[in-house]
Amino acid sequence: MDSSEQEGNGAAPESLPPPPPVPADVVPIKVEPDAAKKKVALQPMARRGTGSKGQKIIVLTNHFKVNVGSTDGYFFHYSVSLYYEDGRPVDGKGVGRKVIDKVQETYSSELAGKNFAYDGEKSLFTVGSLPNNKHEFTVVLEDVMSNRNNGNASPDGSGSPNERERKRVRRSYNSKTFKVEISFAAKIPLQAIQSALRGQESENTQEALRVLDIILRQHASKQGCLLVRQSFFHDNQNNFTDIGGGVLGCRGFHSSFRATHGGLSLNIDVSTTMIIQPGPVVDFLLANQNAKDPYSVDWTKAKRVLKNLRIKVSPSNLEYKITGLSEQVCRDQMFSMKQKGMKNENGEAETVEITIYDYFVNHRNIQLRYSGDLPCINVGKPKRPTYIPIELCSLVSLQRYTKALNTMQRASLVEKSRQKPQERMNVLSNLLRTSNYGAEPMLRSCGVSISSNFTQVEGRLLQPPKLRVGNGEDFIPRNGRWNFNNKKLVEPTRIERWAVANFSARCDPNNIVQSLIRCGEMKGIKIDPPFDVFIEMGQNRRLPPVARVEKMFDLIQSKLPGAPQFLLCLLPDRKNSDLYGPWKQKNLSEFGIVTQCMAPTKVNDQYLTNLLLKINAKLGGLNSILTIERSIPMVSKVPTIILGMDVSHGSPGQSDVPSIAAVVSSRQWPLISRYRAAVRTQSPKLEMLDSLFKPSGKDDDGIMREALLDFYSSSGKRKPDQIIIFRDGVSESQFNQVLNKELDQVIEACKFLDETWDPKFVVIVAQKNHHTKFFQQGSPDNVQPGTVIDRSVCHPKNNDFYLCAHAGMIGTTRPTHYHVLLDQVGFSADDLQELVHSLS
């Protein structure tokens, strides 16, 4: 080797030409130091072990074991494109399934007789491949219009379709030609399901389970079910329950395949959606508006609520989608009817102006009892309306109601959809018996069979956490409940400046005040007599809720010398008073006054004690603490802050209402029973908190800074060395964002306060909105509080567990599903489960 080469890079400088001159407009690129390079994204942690504390128990769960016979085949994924004859893409939902069924029926031999799993939109799956990578077909569908899911087609006569026009309509609309393209997109090994069960999840796993879910959805669709995400609803009167306002609760089922610690399982649960009351349109409007007869209906409101709903029209039994209402009532609404066999000089059919009423009664011989004086339903296009008298129109069943429910409807839905554990198990067993999944050809072709028995799982029953009340007295909750009778509070407050606002005509406020003062004394709360009892004037009771609250506040402000410490509000109704929202908003948002509402129907000492527990906590007192509060493993020795985070969104109908991010944070370490709260608004429907760290110049306006400074000042000038975050309400697909976006903001907020500060983090997601339920074997009761499950139906690899911490007194207990995404502190499974149980 030549010596010049040994010096590396051919070290003979004179042999290289000089570098070219640097142009004047070049901006040098800054070399990034290593630290600034992209940080490694965090992934949810794997399970380190399972817990062993507590008494071992066996419970049943609504997961049904699934066996996968063949594992060497593939699901083939094809993308589907649908076009009309003239090349326009098909936009209406619901027609897709009909078209694909027709393709399968017409071209079975070209498709090698394969069964399809079709999601109703753009994806289609087969077991094994189709003969070619790309297939193009043309199919003709008869009777597109009367498809339950597709009311897009509408008659295009100007005015009402008469007999002759209806024949023409039938020809032009009821047979439609579609072009279908099916192109290969990907292949998914069935092996991916087996890998997932060994804890080796891949992209393919989720896809393979999605195919199985689509097969079941398709199975339900073929039975005429309404499909809502992973749930399906049969058109069966027995499953409907009236919740008021023309809305029905409809009971159906959720189903999803899940890879679990104990193998593949099908999770089936009862689920509920809201649908529009089927039947005559007028009956729906009367119920919806609580009107006494059709002549007192508000038609502007009616037009809004009816738009896009599907109706069947008698006597033709054709199905249409409502596009609006006629401007005038049926007797006065004119349209141009074509004259049979008469043409003008241009060769066009002669027309005559006639009312809709006259047309239906005299030309079609259909008797109309009450529609003459009501608007007609329009099912035509904006420029070419088609009017039908309202009494000939009936709403089709299984149409979802997606607007926000009012308070009464919500209460009614909750009450009517409750099921005791035993009833829920019976309903699920019946579903599995009648669904006949064993005969589903797609499942059979990949060797999938589903057990019809609830899965037995091993759980543990944790001891209830001991509580400490006033005077250092300890007591143990029984069956998830405890009672403060004859017990003092740990830190009772004193109530000095307060008053009563009485909206209820039926009670004696002075008697309530005396009883409250007496009960307060028994708990250690010293309550002075109120400044006054303000009684609503009789003439104000007919005003709208907001105005009633305003009037009451005017009265209180005119009499009180200054802002009160506390206001007690007596509401007129036992439940769901419409004064509650406006009253809370006025007190809390506008004035920052602590308030307690009560409905004085049955006022006894137990009721008033429960009321005082709330009042004491709101005024900064402390009712009880955990006995082990100062000796919790891993938490009491090292300054630790506990955070709870959630985002709540407007109801589905309100797309422009800001979402609210809320964070509660513990204070006064080593206590974990005292919290403060912070809220911020953020963009509508944004699930990730974006206001934890909000730098603006040298300041940080974020929530975390508030929480950390409060912890520091209330915990003897100590910074937390450990930060435990409980995050509510995010789905598995968002775990990585919690770990890499939200946690990053928390870390930045810490660094902003002190660059050298490096606390350890624990991040736990708590999910309530899932479909796993547990049942006691051979008992009609709910599982006992303290039941924990951390194997079998848990994730094959990730660190998760289910905990039922509370007594299920009504309905079926809904366990909380905890996912430990990160644990830098190093909790054992037992210590972490005990901590969560104690915090509950």
Side-chain angles (χ1 to χ4, degrees):
M1 185 183 271
D2 184 83
S3 65
S4 65
E5 273 183 73
Q6 281 181 334
E7 288 177 35
N9 248 351
E14 62 277 4
S15 65
L16 288 173
V22 178
D25 60 349
V26 165
V27 179
I29 296 169
K30 187 175 172 188
V31 176
E32 297 269 331
D34 278 358
K37 278 189 185 150
K38 194 163 169 28
K39 73 182 223 9
V40 180
L42 291 170
Q43 296 287 334
M45 68 178 284
R47 181 181 282 103
R48 292 179 186 146
T50 52
S52 58
K53 272 191 182 173
Q55 170 198 339
K56 283 200 169 38
I57 53 171
I58 297 290
V59 294
L60 298 175
T61 178
N62 59 339
H63 282 239
F64 299 87
K65 283 221 177 325
V66 176
N67 283 318
V68 184
S70 87
T71 54
D72 46 3
Y74 288 87
F75 284 128
F76 279 72
H77 177 191
Y78 294 88
S79 64
V80 175
S81 306
L82 304 179
Y83 303 94
Y84 293 114
E85 207 169 2
D86 60 6
R88 283 177 305 129
V90 173
D91 48 2
K93 273 194 178 177
V95 74
R97 285 188 193 278
K98 287 207 148 187
V99 173
I100 292 298
D101 284 350
K102 189 75 173 176
V103 165
Q104 224 173 338
E105 185 189 312
T106 317
Y107 297 99
S108 177
S109 55
E110 286 90 329
L111 295 165
K114 285 277 180 209
N115 289 308
F116 291 168
Y118 176 51
D119 72 351
E121 295 188 16
K122 300 252 186 290
S123 293
L124 180 149
F125 300 88
T126 57
V127 178
S129 71
L130 294 175
N132 302 314
N133 276 351
K134 186 162 188 184
H135 289 266
E136 293 189 4
F137 301 110
T138 304
V139 292
V140 177
L141 275 197
E142 302 299 324
D143 191 29
V144 174
M145 190 156 32
S146 61
N147 170 14
R148 192 181 72 71
N149 285 322
N150 184 46
N152 296 343
S154 58
D156 67 347
S158 302
S160 294
N162 61 23
E163 277 305 324
R164 188 180 68 256
E165 282 180 301
R166 272 195 23 253
K167 283 179 190 140
R168 184 172 59 73
V169 161
R170 210 166 238 155
R171 263 202 314 281
S172 63
Y173 269 85
N174 286 12
S175 66
K176 257 199 178 154
T177 303
F178 295 90
K179 290 182 190 158
V180 184
E181 285 177 12
I182 298 176
S183 337
F184 172 74
K187 63 191 228 183
I188 305 153
L190 283 169
Q191 190 61 48
I193 297 174
Q194 297 301 329
S195 311
L197 303 178
R198 293 194 297 272
Q200 302 161 341
E201 270 203 67
S202 63
E203 290 280 292
N204 282 330
T205 308
Q206 285 314 315
E207 278 298 293
L209 294 182
R210 182 177 153 231
V211 180
L212 294 180
D213 284 334
I214 287 169
I215 294 172
L216 291 200
R217 280 172 59 81
Q218 177 173 279
H219 185 75
S221 167
K222 290 205 158 110
Q223 297 169 354
C225 290
L226 163 70
L227 303 180
V228 183
R229 293 185 296 279
Q230 295 284 88
S231 298
F232 49 91
F233 302 88
H234 289 92
D235 189 2
N236 179 343
Q237 297 286 328
N238 299 336
N239 297 339
F240 301 163
T241 171
D242 188 353
I243 61 168
V247 182
L248 307 182
C250 174
R251 197 179 70 197
F253 300 95
H254 162 93
S255 78
S256 62
F257 285 94
R258 308 197 65 82
T260 71
H261 200 245
L264 185 64
S265 67
L266 177 63
N267 175 208
I268 300 187
D269 194 19
V270 176
S271 102
T272 306
T273 192
M274 282 80 66
I275 61 170
I276 297 277
Q277 170 186 313
V281 170
V282 167
D283 292 357
F284 164 71
L285 290 175
L286 295 182
N288 182 250
Q289 298 189 12
N290 201 9
K292 59 180 188 299
D293 56 50
Y295 307 106
S296 41
V297 164
D298 174 340
W299 292 101
T300 315
K301 250 191 206 160
K303 183 175 177 178
R304 234 186 358 255
V305 82
L306 289 176
K307 194 167 168 59
N308 291 330
L309 292 180
R310 298 188 313 277
I311 52 168
K312 269 222 163 81
V313 173
S314 113
S316 67
N317 221 20
L318 291 174
E319 191 172 305
Y320 303 111
K321 187 185 270 185
I322 298 177
T323 53
L325 298 174
S326 60
E327 296 291 319
Q328 290 164 300
V329 298
C330 185
R331 273 184 213 288
D332 303 334
Q333 182 67 52
M334 309 291 288
F335 79 102
S336 307
M337 182 175 79
K338 291 176 180 163
Q339 295 281 77
K340 202 169 185 178
M342 293 176 68
K343 303 211 168 162
N344 61 17
E345 60 266 25
N346 301 333
E348 294 165 354
E350 287 272 0
T351 61
V352 57
E353 292 297 303
I354 180 177
T355 68
I356 301 290
Y357 185 82
D358 183 17
Y359 168 75
F360 273 90
V361 173
N362 298 323
H363 290 255
R364 296 274 302 278
N365 295 323
I366 295 172
Q367 287 313 305
L368 298 178
R369 288 175 304 127
Y370 58 81
S371 304
D373 301 311
L374 303 176
C376 301
I377 299 284
N378 180 9
V379 296
K381 300 271 188 328
K383 294 261 176 1
R384 307 182 70 175
T386 300
Y387 296 123
I388 299 168
I390 199 162
E391 72 187 73
L392 303 181
C393 302
S394 275
L395 288 159
V396 171
S397 191
L398 292 186
Q399 300 191 71
R400 275 185 82 200
Y401 180 80
T402 52
K403 297 182 178 55
L405 296 180
N406 64 34
T407 322
M408 302 300 264
Q409 286 172 321
R410 218 172 26 243
S412 174
L413 182 68
V414 167
E415 194 180 324
K416 290 177 175 175
S417 54
R418 274 189 204 127
Q419 284 179 311
K420 287 258 176 261
Q422 204 59 50
E423 187 191 345
R424 189 174 285 252
M425 286 181 81
N426 293 340
V427 167
L428 294 177
S429 293
N430 287 339
L431 171 78
L432 269 171
R433 250 204 318 282
T434 55
S435 62
N436 198 10
Y437 288 142
E440 164 56 53
M442 284 287 288
L443 292 180
R444 288 175 72 164
S445 55
C446 51
V448 167
S449 62
I450 300 165
S451 159
S452 55
N453 298 325
F454 286 75
T455 301
Q456 279 195 0
V457 299
E458 187 183 290
R460 288 170 291 115
L461 194 56
L462 302 180
Q463 286 299 310
K466 267 194 198 158
L467 295 177
R468 177 161 294 162
V469 287
N471 303 338
E473 188 188 342
D474 287 355
F475 75 107
I476 301 175
R478 301 227 175 279
N479 207 2
R481 318 172 186 206
W482 56 95
N483 187 318
F484 270 94
N485 290 349
N486 315 320
K487 298 197 171 34
K488 291 257 192 292
L489 306 183
V490 175
E491 283 179 28
T493 47
R494 172 153 192 186
I495 304 175
E496 296 165 315
R497 301 181 322 282
W498 71 291
V500 180
N502 182 16
F503 289 99
S504 172
R506 288 197 299 275
C507 73
D508 173 3
N510 294 322
N511 185 20
I512 289 174
V513 166
Q514 293 312 316
S515 302
L516 196 68
I517 291 172
R518 177 177 51 77
C519 281
E521 208 171 311
M522 284 154 50
K523 299 281 145 265
I525 301 173
K526 174 83 178 74
I527 306 175
D528 291 354
F531 179 85
D532 203 348
V533 174
F534 297 101
I535 295 173
E536 183 179 38
M537 293 180 199
Q539 72 260 33
N540 291 346
R541 289 197 186 122
R542 289 190 177 73
L543 294 174
V546 175
R548 290 175 70 181
V549 167
E550 290 289 347
K551 294 272 188 207
M552 178 64 83
F553 246 83
D554 292 344
L555 178 64
I556 294 172
Q557 280 181 297
S558 68
K559 297 279 174 68
L560 284 187
Q565 178 191 6
F566 166 68
L567 283 175
L568 179 68
C569 172
L570 308 181
L571 293 171
D573 311 309
R574 190 178 130 255
K575 244 186 186 175
N576 311 326
S577 169
D578 51 8
L579 290 165
Y580 181 86
W583 175 260
K584 286 285 182 189
Q585 184 166 3
K586 192 81 181 161
N587 279 273
L588 300 172
S589 296
E590 292 182 36
F591 290 96
I593 296 170
V594 171
T595 171
Q596 178 62 51
C597 294
M598 63 180 282
T601 41
K602 53 169 193 188
V603 179
N604 53 28
D605 283 11
Q606 178 70 57
Y607 179 88
L608 291 172
T609 298
N610 289 346
L611 206 67
L612 283 162
L613 293 177
K614 297 175 78 170
I615 294 168
N616 190 54
K618 287 176 184 180
L619 291 171
L622 201 53
N623 298 336
S624 60
I625 60 171
L626 292 160
T627 304
I628 58 160
E629 195 118 341
R630 292 168 196 281
S631 57
I632 295 173
M634 321 288 280
V635 171
S636 305
K637 302 269 190 296
V638 181
T640 302
I641 185 171
I642 296 174
L643 304 168
M645 302 181 177
D646 194 11
V647 177
S648 50
H649 308 288
S651 56
Q654 308 169 303
S655 52
D656 51 351
V657 174
S659 292
I660 309 279
V663 176
V664 292
S665 53
S666 63
R667 54 201 309 269
Q668 291 184 8
W669 178 84
L671 289 184
I672 57 167
S673 293
R674 275 196 182 284
Y675 290 81
R676 72 184 297 283
V679 290
R680 299 281 193 281
T681 56
Q682 59 184 41
S683 308
K685 304 285 184 269
L686 176 67
E687 184 49 64
M688 292 296 123
L689 285 95
D690 68 354
S691 46
L692 295 170
F693 176 56
K694 275 252 186 275
S696 62
K698 292 194 172 159
D699 288 330
D700 166 15
D701 299 330
I703 294 177
M704 278 311 303
R705 180 186 175 90
E706 273 181 44
L708 294 168
L709 290 176
D710 178 75
F711 180 91
Y712 183 76
S713 59
S714 67
S715 306
K717 301 273 185 285
R718 288 189 189 84
K719 288 195 290 244
D721 292 329
Q722 297 177 161
I723 298 179
I724 300 177
I725 298 170
F726 285 92
R727 178 64 163 95
D728 186 25
V730 290
S731 60
E732 286 181 43
S733 61
Q734 296 166 314
F735 287 176
N736 286 345
Q737 285 176 287
V738 171
L739 278 177
N740 295 296
K741 285 191 178 165
E742 291 184 345
L743 182 59
D744 265 8
Q745 289 181 64
V746 178
I747 293 168
E748 286 186 70
C750 294
K751 296 286 183 202
F752 197 86
L753 285 166
D754 176 355
E755 189 57 49
T756 61
W757 180 22
D758 202 10
K760 290 178 173 168
F761 288 95
V762 177
V763 180
I764 301 170
V765 168
Q767 292 174 333
K768 294 282 280 194
N769 211 358
H770 58 83
H771 288 276
T772 297
K773 301 281 192 301
F774 297 106
F775 305 91
Q776 283 199 61
Q777 249 181 320
S779 162
D781 299 329
N782 271 307
V783 291
Q784 294 180 60
T787 300
V788 64
I789 281 111
D790 61 0
R791 58 196 77 204
S792 189
V793 288
C794 293
H795 195 278
K797 180 182 79 176
N798 294 356
N799 190 0
D800 65 330
F801 61 93
Y802 290 91
L803 174 67
C804 305
H806 306 119
M809 288 174 283
I810 38 185
T812 305
T813 297
R814 175 177 290 197
T816 306
H817 190 184
Y818 293 97
H819 301 259
V820 185
L821 303 187
L822 177 71
D823 174 13
Q824 297 175 336
V825 171
F827 278 98
S828 70
D830 279 326
D831 284 347
L832 193 59
Q833 288 165 15
E834 287 276 5
L835 171 67
V836 173
H837 189 218
S838 300
L839 283 169
S840 303

